[in-house]
Amino acid sequence: MAASQQYQHEDHDERVGHVGHVGHVGHDQSEQQGENEQSDQKKILQQLQYLIRDFQPVAVAKSGESSVPTGWEQLDSILPHGGWRSGQLVEWLGEVKGGGVGLLGLWSAWQVAQRGGVLVVLDNTGKFFPPAAAALGIHLSRMLVVSPRGKADFDWTLDQVLRCRAVGAVWVNLLKIDNRAYRRLQLAVEQSGVFGVLVREQKCLQDPTWAHLRLCVTPLAGQGNWRFRVEVIRAVGGKAGASCELEFMEITNQQRSKRDGALLNPTNGPRLSQITPNDFR
Amino acid sequence: MKKIICIWIPGGIDSTGKDGMSKEAGKDTRSVERQVWETQDGISRLARWANRYSPLVGFPESVNWKRELAAQEKRTAGKHVGTQYAHQPDPRAAAWKTEAIWLDVTDVCHYFGTVTKLAARISEDLIRLDIAARIAAASTVGASWAACLYLANPTVNQTVVLSTDQQDQAAVREELGQLPVNSLRLPATALDALARLGIVTLEQLIALPQDAIAQRLGAVVIQRCQQLFGQAIEPLKMIHSQQQYLSEQVLLGPIGGVQMVVNLFRHLLDPILERLKKRGRGVLQLCCKFEVSRYGQRIYCDTTANVASETVVASGTHVEQFTIGLYRPTVECIHLVSLFQLAWEKVGRIDEMYHISIEATQTAVMQQVQLGLFTEQESEQPVAGVCELARDQIPPRVLARLIDRLTSRLGKQRVSRPQLRAEAQPEFSFEMQVVVELDMQRWCNHVLRPVRKSLDASSGHAPPPTTQKTRHNTQRSGWALGQQLSIDSRPLWYWGSPLEIQCYTKNRTGAPVRLFHRGSWQQVIRSWGPERIETGWWRSRAVRREYFRVEIDSGQRFWVFRQLPTSQWFLQGNFG
């Protein structure tokens, strides 16, 4: 199953490349008077990208919902729609044990869940610590913690919550998932408009994915505040390969109230005095 | 003389037919409303069952169920109910209001032989239903209750019959005279006053002049005494039997897979739903019962014959029974069938099925919905255009159904909502509130509403945030909940039982400089702390800890603490 998934992606890429090549040849035949080949190629590729983006089956495109800012300008700029969108499956890869990837994932889920709908946390290990979510500014009254036991129940629960329109976002620490089940999850979020956040280990990088966005997080040790490097590995309707640095700032309550005006970014979500953008990388 | 039989089920009976004594102690954390509803429904079912012996089944007084059960819950939890009495009355003294029913068998007992035989038969039938009850027969309501409370054997369903003949009343009066005054169904204030006066038994009470009793203790004491000995009439308020929503079918045996069972369930459910629709009611609880055989073990019995089926039921090995509970009343067949399928998956292998019965054990009036001008009726079917509605326009029933499905498959304890507690020790700093206990309608509305309406605007330009302090938190919080913590102050994952680790520490501050992690020593490049706690002395022994947040050279952050005074190091969490 994994092999077929990879093959499908390669096939897709080849097809795009092929169309671009045909266009490029046609263009050369009509105007053969010394135009720069590279710029033409870029234009055609850009047009194709727009076309492909229009054909994306993401459910939100139908509803006309705007994207939700991530809280960091530099992250917004490398994401396909300038932020999170409902009906997306976002995969956060990184060191789950202390690497901060779960926190970033939870933060993103909460930002979308604020639009309405319950924030579902799937915790099959029983180790989720709600005070961390409260410290992140999440309203615990809007959170539902589901603790399935066993893989069958876990898969079933994940599928159910991703299919429910009353769910705003789902946050889950996902270890292994087979290709068919993953595809089912993708279809579920596209149909229901739920924002799914899958937090996974770095080692899952080689596995095929059906997520709309795949972000890889690397903590940067010993540099001021808690900093991370985020790289876009896969983005449906966007460009992969871009990266940026993010930072959690340590601000006490007193500082927060005084410095709100200075630190608050008007495009950001709530409690942004705690999370401030860093320079572009 | 009248012939009255009192049936008392200590602990009450719920709507599934389980008596209160068989409930798991300490696990029943239902809200009072739900308890009222279930207890009242359970009593109604018991009364309906008792109608087979007598058409006259009822209570001596109408009961404020909510108040009584709230008081009972407080008593069980060890809280005072409002007034502190010098002499706490027997907690069973008030049980007659919510846990007992009376049968007037004056005109029907001769069909069963005698009152004694009838009482014995009722007792046997209750034993067969696995319900622990105390049964007493007497000539008055008060006497039958007093006998139930103090003369019946608490361990077995042994019946007590006080003679109802006129010539034996003197002996009965003498026997009742030995009983405590708690058997008089008096309010707690009167019982407290009697205890202060040193009046313990009924004999002592009736020896006093009536005028003095009425003046000092109230007329109710005299009234109860007269009712006890039949000097005043005490009519029963009849319980009118409710409509029974039951559907059942006898089967030949072999079943052809799950789909056949589901179709059968749907076939049996349809008439129940039709009847409920006509009355504007919906299902809240469905009880499904199957007589089955598995692994080739066959049962050949006539399920229509009472004796045979009772044997099967009594053995309990070939009866599968489960209950489907909902949070909102519904008459939607598809939803109920999907819940049935979830429950059926857990039943396991079934080879043959002989009898299936489905009963709507709890029903409620359907929620009234304001109809639109051009819409005929609100449809319960899912909306076809799935993404066209904004979240706050999605009906709450969508979320309620998800909760139904999740709790049906996973169990109610596994679907919960976290809530912070004012505790310094991390293990007790939050609690998981079972969603069953919430007001589902209100919670769904709250959750589906956006946090800030302005966030839905397409610009995404939000006003500065306000401090998150809900009314609920403000009311319940101590100083600990009022604190705002920085976002990386608490770990995302934590271990309820901390793992012991090895650490090297700085001499001056005591902060760790190296820790043993994943089989090797890791250099701690930064640390924050200590955050000291000293708490929990009221639980078993005081907990003294110094917490540190540490960052190792790979950028990972952990939450460790040093136990005092032993200076052992423990890992309690990581920052996800």
Side-chain angles (χ1 to χ4, degrees), chain B residues 209-225:
Chain B
Q210 289 194 357
D211 292 343
I213 296 172
Q215 195 177 0
R216 283 169 176 264
L217 304 171
V220 66
V221 181
I222 296 297
Q223 187 192 3
R224 290 293 186 211
C225 284

PDB file of all heavy atoms in Angstrom, chain B residues 209-225:
ATOM      1  N   PRO B 209     -49.826  11.851  77.195  1.00  0.00           N
ATOM      2  CA  PRO B 209     -51.111  12.440  76.805  1.00  0.00           C
ATOM      3  C   PRO B 209     -51.025  13.086  75.416  1.00  0.00           C
ATOM      4  O   PRO B 209     -50.044  13.752  75.092  1.00  0.00           O
ATOM      5  CB  PRO B 209     -51.363  13.495  77.895  1.00  0.00           C
ATOM      6  CG  PRO B 209     -50.107  13.630  78.642  1.00  0.00           C
ATOM      7  CD  PRO B 209     -49.268  12.445  78.406  1.00  0.00           C
ATOM      8  N   GLN B 210     -52.055  12.861  74.628  1.00  0.00           N
ATOM      9  CA  GLN B 210     -52.024  13.295  73.231  1.00  0.00           C
ATOM     10  C   GLN B 210     -51.943  14.807  73.082  1.00  0.00           C
ATOM     11  O   GLN B 210     -51.284  15.332  72.193  1.00  0.00           O
ATOM     12  CB  GLN B 210     -53.260  12.773  72.519  1.00  0.00           C
ATOM     13  CG  GLN B 210     -53.221  11.266  72.296  1.00  0.00           C
ATOM     14  CD  GLN B 210     -54.273  10.816  71.304  1.00  0.00           C
ATOM     15  OE1 GLN B 210     -55.060  11.624  70.824  1.00  0.00           O
ATOM     16  NE2 GLN B 210     -54.295   9.528  71.022  1.00  0.00           N
ATOM     17  N   ASP B 211     -52.629  15.510  73.949  1.00  0.00           N
ATOM     18  CA  ASP B 211     -52.628  16.971  73.847  1.00  0.00           C
ATOM     19  C   ASP B 211     -51.227  17.528  74.045  1.00  0.00           C
ATOM     20  O   ASP B 211     -50.786  18.439  73.329  1.00  0.00           O
ATOM     21  CB  ASP B 211     -53.562  17.581  74.902  1.00  0.00           C
ATOM     22  CG  ASP B 211     -55.011  17.243  74.596  1.00  0.00           C
ATOM     23  OD1 ASP B 211     -55.256  16.853  73.429  1.00  0.00           O
ATOM     24  OD2 ASP B 211     -55.850  17.349  75.498  1.00  0.00           O
ATOM     25  N   ALA B 212     -50.533  16.949  75.015  1.00  0.00           N
ATOM     26  CA  ALA B 212     -49.171  17.425  75.307  1.00  0.00           C
ATOM     27  C   ALA B 212     -48.244  17.141  74.134  1.00  0.00           C
ATOM     28  O   ALA B 212     -47.404  17.968  73.765  1.00  0.00           O
ATOM     29  CB  ALA B 212     -48.643  16.743  76.571  1.00  0.00           C
ATOM     30  N   ILE B 213     -48.430  15.973  73.517  1.00  0.00           N
ATOM     31  CA  ILE B 213     -47.589  15.620  72.360  1.00  0.00           C
ATOM     32  C   ILE B 213     -47.848  16.602  71.224  1.00  0.00           C
ATOM     33  O   ILE B 213     -46.918  17.123  70.598  1.00  0.00           O
ATOM     34  CB  ILE B 213     -47.898  14.173  71.885  1.00  0.00           C
ATOM     35  CG1 ILE B 213     -47.522  13.170  72.980  1.00  0.00           C
ATOM     36  CG2 ILE B 213     -47.137  13.838  70.615  1.00  0.00           C
ATOM     37  CD1 ILE B 213     -47.960  11.746  72.673  1.00  0.00           C
ATOM     38  N   ALA B 214     -49.136  16.837  70.962  1.00  0.00           N
ATOM     39  CA  ALA B 214     -49.480  17.746  69.860  1.00  0.00           C
ATOM     40  C   ALA B 214     -48.942  19.138  70.112  1.00  0.00           C
ATOM     41  O   ALA B 214     -48.474  19.827  69.195  1.00  0.00           O
ATOM     42  CB  ALA B 214     -50.996  17.782  69.685  1.00  0.00           C
ATOM     43  N   GLN B 215     -48.989  19.575  71.358  1.00  0.00           N
ATOM     44  CA  GLN B 215     -48.523  20.917  71.694  1.00  0.00           C
ATOM     45  C   GLN B 215     -47.007  21.023  71.551  1.00  0.00           C
ATOM     46  O   GLN B 215     -46.484  21.997  71.029  1.00  0.00           O
ATOM     47  CB  GLN B 215     -48.950  21.253  73.121  1.00  0.00           C
ATOM     48  CG  GLN B 215     -48.840  22.726  73.428  1.00  0.00           C
ATOM     49  CD  GLN B 215     -49.335  23.035  74.826  1.00  0.00           C
ATOM     50  OE1 GLN B 215     -49.755  22.144  75.573  1.00  0.00           O
ATOM     51  NE2 GLN B 215     -49.284  24.282  75.198  1.00  0.00           N
ATOM     52  N   ARG B 216     -46.282  20.012  72.009  1.00  0.00           N
ATOM     53  CA  ARG B 216     -44.823  20.077  72.041  1.00  0.00           C
ATOM     54  C   ARG B 216     -44.186  19.634  70.721  1.00  0.00           C
ATOM     55  O   ARG B 216     -43.193  20.193  70.280  1.00  0.00           O
ATOM     56  CB  ARG B 216     -44.269  19.191  73.167  1.00  0.00           C
ATOM     57  CG  ARG B 216     -44.416  19.799  74.529  1.00  0.00           C
ATOM     58  CD  ARG B 216     -44.100  18.756  75.573  1.00  0.00           C
ATOM     59  NE  ARG B 216     -44.147  19.321  76.896  1.00  0.00           N
ATOM     60  CZ  ARG B 216     -43.059  19.759  77.539  1.00  0.00           C
ATOM     61  NH1 ARG B 216     -41.882  19.691  76.978  1.00  0.00           N
ATOM     62  NH2 ARG B 216     -43.166  20.266  78.751  1.00  0.00           N
ATOM     63  N   LEU B 217     -44.751  18.604  70.107  1.00  0.00           N
ATOM     64  CA  LEU B 217     -44.074  17.996  68.952  1.00  0.00           C
ATOM     65  C   LEU B 217     -44.807  18.198  67.632  1.00  0.00           C
ATOM     66  O   LEU B 217     -44.301  17.862  66.581  1.00  0.00           O
ATOM     67  CB  LEU B 217     -43.906  16.491  69.189  1.00  0.00           C
ATOM     68  CG  LEU B 217     -43.170  16.111  70.466  1.00  0.00           C
ATOM     69  CD1 LEU B 217     -43.262  14.615  70.694  1.00  0.00           C
ATOM     70  CD2 LEU B 217     -41.712  16.514  70.360  1.00  0.00           C
ATOM     71  N   GLY B 218     -46.010  18.721  67.706  1.00  0.00           N
ATOM     72  CA  GLY B 218     -46.762  18.947  66.487  1.00  0.00           C
ATOM     73  C   GLY B 218     -47.821  17.896  66.288  1.00  0.00           C
ATOM     74  O   GLY B 218     -47.706  16.761  66.767  1.00  0.00           O
ATOM     75  N   ALA B 219     -48.838  18.278  65.518  1.00  0.00           N
ATOM     76  CA  ALA B 219     -49.970  17.377  65.304  1.00  0.00           C
ATOM     77  C   ALA B 219     -49.590  16.166  64.462  1.00  0.00           C
ATOM     78  O   ALA B 219     -50.276  15.136  64.499  1.00  0.00           O
ATOM     79  CB  ALA B 219     -51.112  18.147  64.638  1.00  0.00           C
ATOM     80  N   VAL B 220     -48.516  16.296  63.736  1.00  0.00           N
ATOM     81  CA  VAL B 220     -48.144  15.208  62.833  1.00  0.00           C
ATOM     82  C   VAL B 220     -47.815  13.924  63.596  1.00  0.00           C
ATOM     83  O   VAL B 220     -48.075  12.818  63.119  1.00  0.00           O
ATOM     84  CB  VAL B 220     -46.973  15.638  61.926  1.00  0.00           C
ATOM     85  CG1 VAL B 220     -45.698  15.869  62.714  1.00  0.00           C
ATOM     86  CG2 VAL B 220     -46.712  14.615  60.839  1.00  0.00           C
ATOM     87  N   VAL B 221     -47.286  14.068  64.809  1.00  0.00           N
ATOM     88  CA  VAL B 221     -46.923  12.878  65.591  1.00  0.00           C
ATOM     89  C   VAL B 221     -48.182  12.117  65.971  1.00  0.00           C
ATOM     90  O   VAL B 221     -48.244  10.883  65.853  1.00  0.00           O
ATOM     91  CB  VAL B 221     -46.113  13.305  66.838  1.00  0.00           C
ATOM     92  CG1 VAL B 221     -45.698  12.079  67.642  1.00  0.00           C
ATOM     93  CG2 VAL B 221     -44.889  14.112  66.440  1.00  0.00           C
ATOM     94  N   ILE B 222     -49.189  12.856  66.414  1.00  0.00           N
ATOM     95  CA  ILE B 222     -50.466  12.218  66.782  1.00  0.00           C
ATOM     96  C   ILE B 222     -51.087  11.555  65.558  1.00  0.00           C
ATOM     97  O   ILE B 222     -51.576  10.420  65.614  1.00  0.00           O
ATOM     98  CB  ILE B 222     -51.431  13.278  67.369  1.00  0.00           C
ATOM     99  CG1 ILE B 222     -50.852  13.845  68.669  1.00  0.00           C
ATOM    100  CG2 ILE B 222     -52.824  12.685  67.600  1.00  0.00           C
ATOM    101  CD1 ILE B 222     -50.698  12.813  69.755  1.00  0.00           C
ATOM    102  N   GLN B 223     -51.025  12.306  64.436  1.00  0.00           N
ATOM    103  CA  GLN B 223     -51.629  11.777  63.208  1.00  0.00           C
ATOM    104  C   GLN B 223     -50.962  10.457  62.803  1.00  0.00           C
ATOM    105  O   GLN B 223     -51.632   9.496  62.432  1.00  0.00           O
ATOM    106  CB  GLN B 223     -51.454  12.811  62.108  1.00  0.00           C
ATOM    107  CG  GLN B 223     -52.188  12.456  60.837  1.00  0.00           C
ATOM    108  CD  GLN B 223     -51.781  13.337  59.669  1.00  0.00           C
ATOM    109  OE1 GLN B 223     -50.909  14.187  59.797  1.00  0.00           O
ATOM    110  NE2 GLN B 223     -52.420  13.146  58.547  1.00  0.00           N
ATOM    111  N   ARG B 224     -49.640  10.415  62.905  1.00  0.00           N
ATOM    112  CA  ARG B 224     -48.923   9.197  62.514  1.00  0.00           C
ATOM    113  C   ARG B 224     -49.249   8.032  63.457  1.00  0.00           C
ATOM    114  O   ARG B 224     -49.387   6.883  63.014  1.00  0.00           O
ATOM    115  CB  ARG B 224     -47.406   9.443  62.519  1.00  0.00           C
ATOM    116  CG  ARG B 224     -46.912  10.346  61.409  1.00  0.00           C
ATOM    117  CD  ARG B 224     -47.087   9.692  60.058  1.00  0.00           C
ATOM    118  NE  ARG B 224     -46.493  10.484  59.011  1.00  0.00           N
ATOM    119  CZ  ARG B 224     -46.944  10.534  57.773  1.00  0.00           C
ATOM    120  NH1 ARG B 224     -48.027   9.869  57.440  1.00  0.00           N
ATOM    121  NH2 ARG B 224     -46.330  11.257  56.871  1.00  0.00           N
ATOM    122  N   CYS B 225     -49.364   8.352  64.728  1.00  0.00           N
ATOM    123  CA  CYS B 225     -49.706   7.294  65.688  1.00  0.00           C
ATOM    124  C   CYS B 225     -51.081   6.711  65.373  1.00  0.00           C
ATOM    125  O   CYS B 225     -51.277   5.490  65.386  1.00  0.00           O
ATOM    126  CB  CYS B 225     -49.716   7.862  67.111  1.00  0.00           C
ATOM    127  SG  CYS B 225     -48.073   8.119  67.771  1.00  0.00           S
TER     128      CYS B 225
END
